[in-house]
Amino acid sequence: MKDLIEEKNIPEIMDRLEIMHPEAACALDFGTRFQLLSAVMLSAQTTDVSVNKVTPELFEKFPTPETMAEADPLEVQDIIKTIGLYKNKSKNLVALSKMLVSEYGGEVPGNFDDLVKLPGVGRKTANVVLAEGFGESRIAVDTHVFRVSNRIGLTCAKDPEGVENMLMDRLPKQQWSRTHHLLIFHGRKVCHARKPECGRCLLADLCLYKRDLAL
């Protein structure tokens, strides 16, 4: 039966992830906190690569909350139509920009509760913005973090918030943001959803998924 990796092995897991993915970092292109917020919101259920293809034109035309608040959602749709859920995302992008202008003086708020009030902004987006835009220690749980954490045995939670809380409990706070990036890169490059490449993974001898395969 699958359980959790022992606490004593977690530092070794983190060290090996660092060896495998020293380049792990935010893969979204942005210049300001508003652009970061926009890019992260757009990245839901699509790839960062896809988002980076549409944001140059988007941010050139609408670089600030003030300009985006005045945008026609149909024009935004036309720019971002190659990414998933583009119709809803265009509406949310204009709506959150209006809210930033009317309630926050055109600035991205620096606290979690205010961020998740914005249209289209959930826990993951808020945590990424706080980590990347404000330098806070945060763990944002996307599909990669959720899958990899549960698969290898860092966590055993049934929902993203549960994974977030377990990772925060089991890791030093100063490692939270770095862990987020390492787990994402591991999920993208090695621990794939359908066919994890266990044969080239440095975690294989500690991973509970690999152990259970051998039983």
Side-chain angles (χ1 to χ4, degrees):
M1 177 130 180
K2 194 172 189 298
D3 45 17
L4 288 171
I5 284 174
E6 293 183 47
E7 295 279 348
K8 66 180 182 180
N9 289 330
I10 293 178
E12 182 66 21
I13 291 282
M14 293 299 105
D15 288 346
R16 295 186 192 183
L17 284 171
E18 193 69 62
I19 291 170
M20 284 187 284
H21 313 292
E23 77 285 12
C26 181
L28 292 168
D29 298 331
F30 63 93
T32 65
R33 286 172 176 165
F34 169 68
Q35 292 175 2
L36 168 65
L37 171 63
S38 301
V40 178
M41 190 269 281
L42 292 175
S43 71
Q45 298 185 46
T46 192
T47 66
D48 291 348
V49 171
S50 297
V51 174
N52 288 338
K53 289 179 180 178
V54 302
T55 49
E57 180 181 357
L58 183 70
F59 295 155
E60 182 178 2
K61 290 191 174 182
F62 311 111
T64 65
E66 290 80 6
T67 53
M68 189 70 77
E70 298 299 321
D72 181 345
L74 291 177
E75 185 176 1
V76 176
Q77 271 189 42
D78 191 56
I79 296 172
I80 69 169
K81 62 187 177 184
T82 57
I83 67 173
L85 306 175
Y86 70 95
K87 291 182 180 180
N88 282 336
K89 288 176 181 178
S90 64
K91 293 176 184 176
N92 285 335
L93 197 49
V94 173
L96 75 80
S97 298
K98 291 179 184 294
M99 194 168 173
L100 290 178
V101 172
S102 64
E103 298 189 25
Y104 300 101
E107 299 293 330
V108 175
N111 69 80
F112 182 88
D113 289 340
D114 285 334
L115 283 168
V116 294
K117 291 177 185 176
L118 297 169
V121 176
R123 292 191 68 86
K124 186 207 82 170
T125 297
N127 281 329
V128 172
V129 170
L130 291 172
E132 298 298 319
F134 293 88
E136 291 191 16
S137 293
R138 293 276 172 165
I139 291 180
V141 179
D142 70 351
T143 56
H144 297 298
V145 175
F146 182 81
R147 179 181 72 254
V148 173
S149 297
N150 278 331
R151 181 180 273 173
I152 67 179
L154 282 173
T155 62
C156 58
K158 295 182 178 180
D159 58 75
E161 188 171 352
V163 167
E164 179 185 333
N165 289 330
M166 287 195 75
L167 288 173
M168 290 192 296
D169 286 342
R170 305 194 82 200
L171 290 161
K173 186 173 183 178
Q174 65 269 23
Q175 290 185 5
W176 291 354
S177 297
R178 184 61 182 160
T179 298
H180 158 75
H181 290 306
L182 289 170
L183 292 173
I184 287 176
F185 268 59
H186 196 59
R188 286 175 178 165
K189 296 177 178 292
V190 179
C191 198
H192 310 297
R194 294 184 180 179
K195 289 187 67 175
E197 298 184 52
C198 301
R200 68 181 189 91
C201 180
L202 298 183
L203 307 182
D205 61 315
L206 297 173
C207 174
L208 300 191
Y209 173 82
K210 185 67 165 62
R211 181 203 68 182
D212 290 347
L213 286 179
L215 293 179

